[in-house]
């Protein structure tokens, strides 16, 4: 068991070193370093892959004598990891890492200059490698199943499509009711918010929520993310706009929600492949909970409003707490996913979920993707991107080779409300403590029911043990009807 643990820890360290190189790529690395860096990351990733799938690992797993529940879970889960990794040739793993490294540089340039044709050949290559990847992994129904399973283990395309359709059937009337109602005044969040104060206000707030800066830090990147180098070093990035309060503040809450999950993993799992989020859906449920269910609630602003007024006295002097609450919750279909409101966000995800299936199956050619994107934006959200930068080029994911990732965002939205309702049921009162700036009861509940387990419990096991139910669209729909019915008077 000890030999197995030592070997797995070495593999984990290689992955963590690659994560540091990738973090640097997003935050500090000069643009010209991209190609060399892509090769370095590919080297580390393929070394980890070779060590994991080597005969020595298989022998250690077969001969291991588990002495604890953690050992039992470790052997069970790593056996599954090895079985999956063995299906993928290390040459393909290295090719995907290298293609992604190059594509990301091209995507950044294409996005900055609104030049989709510059990115298209890279995306072409990524789609081709993704098809090879799906074939190597195997699938029951369609190639997209294999890609989705990488991020949301156990989920199938068909299941996800069914759940999304339930949401969409109810979302459309909700969006229609909102569009028929008088719009909320968004001007309170569009005043001047000095960038340095946005930075410190967000960081101060997530520390109060429980993000531990002794084991974390915040930097700037084009697309905000969180990343873990160990349970004791979990970082976030943010970006800000001077005349828009929401991106930096709610982005910081979002990424800190991810980071608090990783910081809350049982320290006994440090260095082991169990010390990770169990699925991206569960991961996203944590970020969405702090961003939306806490950060966009009346209870939270009862606490945070005086602090916000102190921090931004010039901009907020003539605004009431209720006006501010309404401004941060305004629903308005827009072209940009990361700035989308809680109501329309899921439609942005469904669009990507469908287009991904279509480019993988070949039903849509890469060159036709911008137009297919724009047409669906018009028919689902009623808005047309003015450029590809605001359309098909807005997200980093495809350039990273992450096809099958997007649906986990909407799954996370659904799971966040399921878990939040279970926390309220168990704790009796959530809004009271939050309105006094006491986030410990909620964070403690999440530590116990979600965070500590790392990968030891699957997404489905987390949901069933914490809430008593499997994944369901209904809690999110009930939440959306109640909250936005109240805001928009329907
Ligand atoms: Zn997220």
């Amino acid at each position: 068991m000890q030999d197995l643990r030592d070997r797995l820890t070495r593999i984990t360290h290689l992955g963590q070193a690659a994560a540091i190189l990738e973090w640097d790529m997003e935050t500090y690395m000069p643009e010209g370093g991209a190609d060399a860096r892509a090769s370095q990351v590919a080297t580390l990733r393929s070394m980890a892959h070779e060590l994991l799938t080597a005969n020595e690992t298989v022998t250690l797993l077969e001969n291991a004598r588990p002495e604890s529940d953690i050992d039992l879970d470790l052997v069970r889960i790593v056996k599954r990891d090895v079985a999956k990794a063995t299906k993928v040739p290390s040459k393909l793993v290295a090719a995907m890492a290298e293609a992604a490294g190059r594509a990301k540089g091209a995507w950044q340039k294409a996005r900055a200059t609104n030049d989709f044709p510059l990115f298209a050949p890279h995306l072409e290559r990524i789609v081709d490698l993704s098809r090879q990847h799906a074939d190597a992994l195997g699938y029951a129904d369609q190639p997209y199943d294999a890609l989705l399973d990488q991020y949301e283990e156990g989920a199938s395309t068909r299941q996800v499509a069914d759940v999304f359709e339930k949401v969409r059937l109810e979302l459309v009337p909700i969006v229609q009711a909102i569009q028929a109602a008088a719009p909320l005044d968004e001007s309170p969040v569009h005043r001047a918010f000095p960038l340095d104060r946005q930075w410190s206000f967000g960081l101060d707030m997530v520390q109060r929520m429980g993000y531990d800066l002794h084991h974390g830090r915040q930097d700037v990147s084009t697309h905000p993310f969180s990343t873990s180098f160990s349970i004791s070093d979990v970082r976030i990035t943010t970006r800000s706009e001077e005349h828009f309060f929401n991106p930096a503040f709610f982005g910081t809450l979002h990424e800190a929600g991810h980071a608090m999950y990783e910081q809350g993993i049982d320290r006994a799992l440090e260095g082991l492949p169990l010390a990770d989020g169990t699925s991206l859906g569960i991961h996203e449920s944590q970020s969405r909970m702090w961003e939306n269910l806490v950060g966009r609630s009346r209870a939270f602003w009862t606490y945070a409003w005086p602090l916000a007024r102190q921090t931004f006295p010039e901009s907020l002097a003539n605004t009431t707490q209720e006006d501010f609450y309404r401004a941060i919750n305004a629903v308005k279909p827009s072209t940009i996913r990361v700035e989308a409101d809680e109501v329309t966000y899921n439609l942005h995800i469904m669009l990507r979920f469908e287009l991904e299936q279509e480019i993988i199956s070949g039903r849509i050619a890469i060159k036709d993707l911008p137009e297919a994107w724009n047409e669906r934006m018009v028919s689902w959200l009623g808005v047309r991107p003015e450029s590809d930068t605001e359309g098909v080029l807005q997200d980093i994911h495809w350039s990273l080779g992450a096809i099958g990732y997007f649906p986990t965002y909407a799954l996370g939205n659904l799971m966040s409300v399921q878990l939040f309702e279970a926390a309220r049921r168990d704790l009796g009162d959530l809004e009271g403590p939050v309105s006094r700036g006491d986030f410990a009861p909620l964070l403690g509940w999440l530590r116990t029911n979600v965070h500590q387990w790392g990968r030891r419990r699957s997404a489905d096991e987390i949901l069933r043990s914490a809430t008593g139910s499997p994944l369901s669209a209904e809690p999110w729909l009930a939440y959306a009807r109640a909250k936005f019915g109240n805001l928009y008077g329907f």
Side-chain angles (χ1 to χ4, degrees):
M1 217 38 240
Q2 193 53 49
D3 289 347
L4 176 65
R5 284 168 160 266
D6 289 347
R7 186 174 178 87
L8 295 174
T9 299
R10 293 218 308 282
I11 296 169
T12 300
H13 287 168
L14 286 170
Q16 291 168 338
I20 295 169
L21 293 182
E22 287 168 336
W23 167 84
D24 174 68
M25 213 167 172
E26 290 297 315
T27 49
Y28 294 103
M29 188 192 74
E31 194 185 337
D35 284 358
R37 179 59 55 84
S39 304
Q40 293 159 354
V41 170
T43 298
L44 289 177
R45 296 261 180 234
S46 70
M47 282 172 71
H49 184 262
E50 281 163 24
L51 277 176
L52 181 69
T53 54
N55 289 335
E56 290 92 322
T57 309
V58 175
T59 306
L60 284 169
L61 281 167
E62 278 166 3
N63 297 334
R65 286 191 298 275
E67 290 151 12
S68 66
D69 288 344
I70 290 178
D71 286 350
L72 281 166
D73 288 341
L74 185 65
V75 171
R76 173 176 61 87
I77 289 167
V78 175
K79 274 184 177 169
R80 199 174 63 201
D81 289 348
V82 171
K84 280 189 182 176
T86 311
K87 293 177 181 171
V88 187
S90 55
K91 235 175 120 178
L92 180 56
V93 174
M96 289 190 298
E98 179 132 18
R102 293 183 198 286
K104 196 151 60 56
W107 168 73
Q108 280 164 342
K109 217 174 274 176
R111 183 180 192 245
T113 57
N114 187 35
D115 186 359
F116 181 76
L118 181 73
F119 178 55
H122 293 274
L123 184 56
E124 200 89 62
R125 170 89 176 134
I126 283 185
V127 167
D128 180 46
L129 290 168
S130 297
R131 288 189 192 119
Q132 293 178 37
H133 195 198
D135 287 343
L137 288 167
Y139 47 85
D141 185 26
Q142 51 183 303
Y144 193 82
D145 284 337
L147 302 177
L148 175 62
D149 185 78
Q150 299 176 93
Y151 307 105
E152 201 62 30
E153 196 160 48
S156 78
T157 310
R158 186 51 28 222
Q159 283 173 321
V160 172
D162 287 348
V163 173
F164 283 4
E165 197 179 337
K166 273 196 189 100
V167 173
R168 194 169 57 226
L169 287 174
E170 289 225 28
L171 244 185
V172 172
I174 291 174
V175 172
Q176 285 169 345
I178 288 171
Q179 281 171 327
L184 300 181
D185 177 14
E186 293 177 67
S187 65
V189 294
H190 287 288
R191 298 185 184 136
F193 296 94
L195 297 181
D196 56 334
R197 279 185 265 160
Q198 286 196 52
W199 174 273
S200 50
F201 183 64
L203 198 52
D204 176 54
M205 203 55 73
V206 294
Q207 280 183 272
R208 291 168 194 249
M209 288 172 166
Y211 178 48
D212 179 0
L213 272 193
H214 185 59
H215 297 287
R217 60 174 281 129
Q218 177 172 258
D219 292 273
V220 174
S221 72
T222 310
H223 187 99
F225 63 98
S226 76
T227 181
S228 169
F229 306 148
S230 71
I231 299 169
S232 55
D233 186 354
V234 187
R235 305 190 184 186
I236 61 174
T237 69
T238 190
R239 66 170 173 194
S240 40
E241 288 176 39
E242 188 170 1
H243 291 275
F244 193 11
F245 177 82
N246 296 1
F249 186 74
F250 294 105
T252 301
L253 263 53
H254 181 101
E255 299 310 334
H258 283 302
M260 284 189 277
Y261 180 13
E262 304 250 357
Q263 287 185 334
I265 294 172
D266 181 357
R267 291 280 171 130
L269 306 183
E270 183 77 278
L272 298 175
L274 303 180
D276 203 348
T278 194
S279 80
L280 291 189
I282 292 289
H283 230 306
E284 194 67 4
S285 77
Q286 299 306 290
S287 57
R288 285 296 179 186
M289 191 178 295
W290 292 100
E291 176 191 359
N292 288 334
L293 307 185
V294 176
R296 283 188 162 94
S297 69
R298 280 202 174 88
F300 174 74
W301 286 99
T302 298
Y303 166 67
W305 180 243
L307 299 166
R309 287 261 290 234
Q310 267 170 33
T311 311
F312 306 105
E314 305 88 345
S315 312
L316 299 179
N318 298 317
T319 303
T320 67
Q321 183 189 323
E322 181 63 16
D323 287 344
F324 193 74
Y325 169 76
R326 295 164 82 83
I328 60 171
N329 283 297
V331 174
K332 197 167 111 186
S334 79
T335 55
I336 308 295
R337 174 184 63 87
V338 295
E339 289 166 13
D341 55 76
E342 281 185 85
V343 175
T344 58
Y345 192 92
N346 289 323
L347 294 173
H348 285 265
I349 296 309
M350 290 167 192
L351 174 146
R352 287 154 178 79
F353 175 60
E354 286 202 355
L355 289 177
E356 283 187 340
Q357 292 171 62
E358 289 167 4
I359 56 176
I360 289 297
S361 71
R363 285 200 299 277
I364 290 184
I366 298 298
K367 69 172 172 51
D368 299 327
L369 196 52
E371 198 39 44
W373 179 290
N374 294 347
E375 277 171 10
R376 220 156 302 196
M377 284 297 292
V378 171
S379 68
W380 290 10
L381 285 146
V383 289
R384 187 177 185 90
E386 285 180 10
S387 66
D388 290 337
T389 298
E390 284 185 14
V392 69
L393 286 171
Q394 67 182 273
D395 295 308
I396 196 170
H397 304 65
W398 292 344
S399 78
L400 299 173
I403 294 177
Y405 187 120
F406 279 119
T408 67
Y409 288 123
L411 293 173
N413 285 338
L414 306 183
M415 292 172 182
S416 73
V417 180
Q418 264 188 281
L419 290 166
F420 199 69
E421 296 304 334
R424 178 187 283 119
R425 178 198 65 202
D426 290 354
L427 296 169
D429 180 20
L430 271 180
E431 278 72 13
V434 166
S435 69
R436 296 186 293 275
D438 180 9
F439 305 102
L442 176 59
L443 184 59
W445 188 92
L446 294 170
R447 292 273 191 253
T448 303
N449 289 284
V450 182
H451 300 177
Q452 63 161 329
W453 297 101
R455 295 178 65 207
R456 294 183 63 197
R457 288 183 174 174
S458 69
D460 184 57
E461 286 167 346
I462 293 273
L463 283 180
R464 287 173 191 270
S465 64
T467 75
S469 314
L471 177 73
S472 162
E474 191 43 47
W476 185 86
L477 285 166
Y479 160 81
R481 281 193 297 264
K483 177 174 178 176
F484 295 94
N486 172 286
L487 273 165
Y488 282 91
F490 63 85

